[in-house]
Structures are given as structure tokens and as C-alpha cells.
Amino acid sequence: MSNPLVLASKEIYLKLVHRASRKVKKENDKIVFLLSFSTSSKYALQLLYENFPNQLVVCYTRDSKMIAMGYQKKGCAIFDIDDFSILLKEIVPIVSGSRLVFCDNYFAFLAGISFFSRTKVVQLWHANGAIKSFGLEAKYTENVTKTDKKRYMNVYDKFTHYVVSSKKMTSIFAENYHQKINTLPFGYLPTDLFFDRSWVDKAKKSFSSYYPNNKKTILYVPTYREREKKIPLDFSNLQRQLGNEWQIMVKLHPHDKDHDEIINEPNIITDFYNLDLVQLLPSVDCLITDYSSVPFEYSLANPKGKMIFFCFDYEEYDKEVGIEKDFMEWAPGEVVQTEEALISAVKHSKNQSFSSFNQLWNEYVTGDAGQRLLKWVKKIYDN
């Protein structure tokens, strides 16, 4: 149960936000981007800046400060969401009067905002699909108070549109947010890159300039876990069993703390020379993950690749967080729970096809999500 003092402080926070929002009597022409996932939102920000440089305002969480500062140098106004005085004095008035607000996550202060009737609030989610539960369907929300749930719903109610890649993701948003979903079926914007042959070639060239191109590449991308947990893999044994034909890379979630069992392993590559995850995927021969959203992009980045799901804590994770009920039916690769089974799955190559997986999860993806979104934005401003 929530601490009464914490609950009271959240109520005061939202009342102050609401009071500041109610003072806004006039619309502005700004496009506000609420930024918390700099990697997944980078492409959308670039497109919006190139086409609406005078309207774009970036409101960022501290984890995304560096990319926001880059747009400040280009002339955009930027504001720190985590600074409450700035939130009340600067962010709330701009957001409340904006014609268009983009979000890449859940932002609590939206619960207190009063928007004009024609304002569009677009959820540009930071993932292309979902294996784990979130929102009101996440298991950890079962014990929150009714007040907490009402506050969550007040945020979800503010979203007028969702950019999605499939009917499947639309239904997942509807289920997890308990909302009727108004979709923009454009596709997940970062996936446009995988349809750009010159970008893919450049990504592969960058990859091969840093890493041996005479070896096959395994990339292990474990999902974020609220309770930090030692990964039950002997990475020395993994490398020994697979041999020198493989190079093993591990990319932790941005919110994860360093795992000593990985960082201290000399044979494991954890230095990516500022290459983003999307830049790695076209060169990865075998993706190993669990409940991360990476598969929904990898299936497009490397359609001839291979996926393995190392779900060593499947039952526990399902109880603590929640896993989509039909995951085992559409998982586009072998699901294993032990190191021995993982090694066997890597060694004994099975033909994989991502065709049915992409039909389910990437049905709207055609490589022009960014242009379709821009067309929609321009239509908003023409009216």
C-alpha cells in the first residue's frame, strides 16, 4: 500500500499543476515533445525539428538531458520536467495551450492538465510491441490504492491518439490502459531505418570497423528488472562452448545497473562505441533476449537472423510483472530457461521465419512511418 504522506504529496502536486493549467486562456502554436527515452525518440525529434523548427519545444527528464541540449543549441526551447518550479512556470502553460503534444512514455503531470478541445496528445510509445504487461495490467499495480489507479487513468485519458504498428499493439494498449484506442496506423518510427538501404549499409560498415567481421555475433539484450537480479549465465563457459567462431555481446537496459558478472568477463563485449541498439541489429546473427521489445525491431532489421528467448525466471516474472498470455504462441524463436538449453539452441540452428510474426506485429510497417506522421501533423496545422 502507498505511504499516506506520499499520496498526499502527489495530490498536492497535481492540484498545483491543475491550478497553473487553468490559468491558460489562449492556445499557442507549439509542438511539445515530452521526452524520456532519448534513443527511441531520436528519429521522431529529428523529423519534427527539420519540418517544424520554430514550433518544437522539448520537455525532458534528466536521463534525456543530453539530447535535449542538442536541440537547445539548434534554437529550440527546452525545459526540465523534473524541476517542479520549471514545470509549473514554464512547462504547464506551454503544454496546456499547445495544439499538439507528443509523449514517449507515461508522464504523471498530465493528469492535472486541462487541454483545449482541439488539442491532440499523441502517445509515441518507446517500444514497437510488448511481451510484458504494463499500465493497469502490470501485476505490481494490483496493490496500489484506488487513488493511485484514478491518477493513472487521468493520465491515460489525456492521450487522444496512439501511433502503432499493428492491430495487436492497439489491443494491448486498450487492455493495459483500459481505454478505447484511437490509432494512427503508421508504424513505429525507428523501423523506417531498416528500409533505408544506405542507412543499413552504413550501420553494418560502422559495426565491422569496430568488431571482427570473420565471426558470427550473438547479442544478449536482457530486459529491465525492478529488482536487480544476477543473470544465471557462466559467460566464460558460454564462450568456451560456442567457440571462437562466435563473438558475444551484452547490452544492458539503460536503466539497469552494471552487472559484475558481465562487466568483469574479458571475453564479453560491452563497449559499443556510441553505436545505438538499432545500429547493431542488422549485423547480429543471433539475438538472445527475454521480455524486451527488441524482437519487434530485430525481425525487420535482420529477417534472416535468429532469435532465442532466455526466460530463466519466466514463472517469477509473470507473477511480479506479467507476460502477455499468448506469448508462447507467437514467440518467433525457441524459449529456453537454462544455460544448457540456451547453448544447445545456439549450436543447433533451426530455420526461422519471421513472416507470421511480422504480419502480426508489424502489419502497418512500410518504411514510411515518419513521413506519414509528418503528413498528419501538417494536416493538423492546416486546419
Side-chain angles (χ1 to χ4, degrees):
M1 299 294 287
S2 297
N3 184 307
L5 288 176
V6 173
L7 279 176
S9 67
K10 289 178 179 178
E11 289 298 305
I12 293 169
Y13 169 94
L14 287 179
K15 284 180 180 178
L16 291 172
V17 168
H18 185 65
R19 184 182 300 171
S21 181
R22 295 285 291 176
K23 291 179 181 178
V24 178
K25 305 299 181 184
K26 187 178 179 181
E27 289 181 285
N28 61 58
D29 69 342
K30 299 303 181 184
I31 297 174
V32 178
F33 200 109
L34 303 183
L35 173 69
S36 69
F37 280 82
S38 54
T39 301
S40 59
S41 295
K42 184 165 62 174
Y43 182 51
L45 274 171
Q46 180 184 330
L47 283 174
L48 290 170
Y49 173 75
E50 289 172 354
N51 290 272
F52 305 96
N54 298 322
Q55 284 117 315
L56 182 61
V57 175
V58 181
C59 302
Y60 63 93
T61 59
R62 284 174 186 155
D63 288 341
S64 301
K65 184 176 181 178
M66 292 304 294
I67 190 170
M69 288 179 67
Y71 281 92
Q72 184 180 45
K73 290 176 182 177
K74 296 177 180 180
C76 293
I78 69 168
F79 301 101
D80 182 354
I81 293 173
D82 296 321
D83 186 317
F84 189 56
S85 63
I86 290 176
L87 180 75
L88 286 183
K89 293 177 184 177
E90 304 288 352
I91 296 174
V92 170
I94 293 173
V95 170
S96 299
S98 175
R99 290 282 304 278
L100 190 54
V101 179
F102 287 103
C103 316
D104 68 4
N105 203 350
Y106 170 98
F107 293 90
F109 80 92
L110 289 177
I113 297 289
S114 294
F115 286 109
F116 288 93
S117 60
R118 64 174 182 168
T119 300
K120 304 293 187 292
V121 182
V122 181
Q123 180 58 257
L124 282 175
W125 192 243
H126 50 271
N128 190 29
I131 294 175
K132 58 187 176 184
S133 301
F134 57 92
L136 293 170
E137 290 300 306
K139 297 295 175 64
Y140 48 76
T141 63
E142 290 177 354
N143 297 321
V144 303
T145 65
K146 289 182 179 179
T147 303
D148 282 324
K149 288 183 179 179
K150 183 180 178 182
R151 190 172 60 252
Y152 300 159
M153 288 296 293
N154 286 340
V155 173
Y156 306 150
D157 286 342
K158 296 300 191 300
F159 302 138
T160 63
H161 295 79
Y162 292 73
V163 174
V164 296
S165 290
S166 63
K167 294 187 190 77
K168 179 70 173 175
M169 193 60 191
T170 300
S171 67
I172 284 178
F173 273 128
E175 181 181 351
N176 286 269
Y177 280 169
H178 296 189
Q179 295 284 306
K180 182 179 179 181
I181 303 300
N182 189 11
T183 63
L184 299 175
F186 303 154
Y188 184 57
L189 269 66
T191 61
D192 282 1
L193 298 171
F194 307 134
F195 291 81
D196 182 343
R197 193 67 249 170
S198 63
W199 181 90
V200 171
D201 289 343
K202 185 178 178 181
K204 287 183 174 181
K205 188 174 181 180
S206 295
F207 185 93
S208 63
S209 70
Y210 293 121
Y211 309 108
N213 57 12
N214 63 338
K215 291 188 176 186
K216 291 188 285 186
T217 300
I218 284 176
L219 177 63
Y220 178 38
V221 187
T223 196
Y224 174 68
R225 288 167 170 81
E226 293 287 340
R227 291 191 300 174
E228 191 173 342
K229 187 180 298 182
K230 183 175 167 54
I231 295 171
L233 282 178
D234 180 340
F235 287 95
S236 293
N237 181 56
L238 189 63
Q239 183 69 76
R240 187 166 57 250
Q241 292 289 336
L242 296 178
N244 288 329
E245 66 174 311
W246 288 96
Q247 57 185 345
I248 302 174
M249 301 179 165
V250 179
K251 191 167 182 61
L252 298 172
H253 190 280
H255 296 162
D256 245 332
K257 294 179 181 178
D258 291 342
H259 287 259
D260 290 342
E261 72 272 22
I262 297 171
I263 302 305
N264 296 332
E265 176 52 57
N267 293 321
I268 303 301
I269 298 169
T270 58
D271 185 351
F272 297 99
Y273 302 97
N274 293 320
L275 293 177
D276 291 337
L277 180 58
V278 291
Q279 293 172 287
L280 301 176
L281 293 182
S283 301
V284 171
D285 299 283
C286 180
L287 175 72
I288 300 173
T289 186
D290 38 42
Y291 323 110
S292 164
S293 63
V294 180
F296 306 100
E297 294 170 70
Y298 181 70
S299 62
L300 297 168
N302 197 339
K304 294 183 179 179
K306 178 177 181 176
M307 278 192 241
I308 301 169
F309 294 85
F310 180 49
C311 302
F312 60 87
D313 58 350
Y314 186 92
E315 290 79 11
E316 181 183 355
Y317 197 89
D318 191 29
K319 288 179 182 177
E320 290 184 357
V321 179
I323 298 170
E324 287 299 318
K325 297 177 182 63
D326 57 351
F327 166 59
M328 290 292 188
E329 296 172 22
W330 50 254
E334 206 169 335
V335 180
V336 300
Q337 291 191 287
T338 66
E339 180 177 322
E340 182 181 14
L342 175 63
I343 293 169
S344 177
V346 175
K347 281 183 172 180
H348 303 103
S349 182
K350 293 181 180 179
N351 291 331
Q352 287 186 346
S353 170
F354 301 143
S355 177
S356 60
F357 177 73
N358 282 330
Q359 286 172 15
L360 180 64
W361 286 99
N362 288 311
E363 65 175 316
Y364 303 145
V365 176
T366 52
D368 60 350
Q371 292 307 309
R372 294 166 80 181
L373 181 67
L374 286 176
K375 186 177 179 181
W376 182 81
V377 173
K378 288 171 182 174
K379 188 176 180 181
I380 297 294
Y381 274 87
D382 286 345
N383 291 331

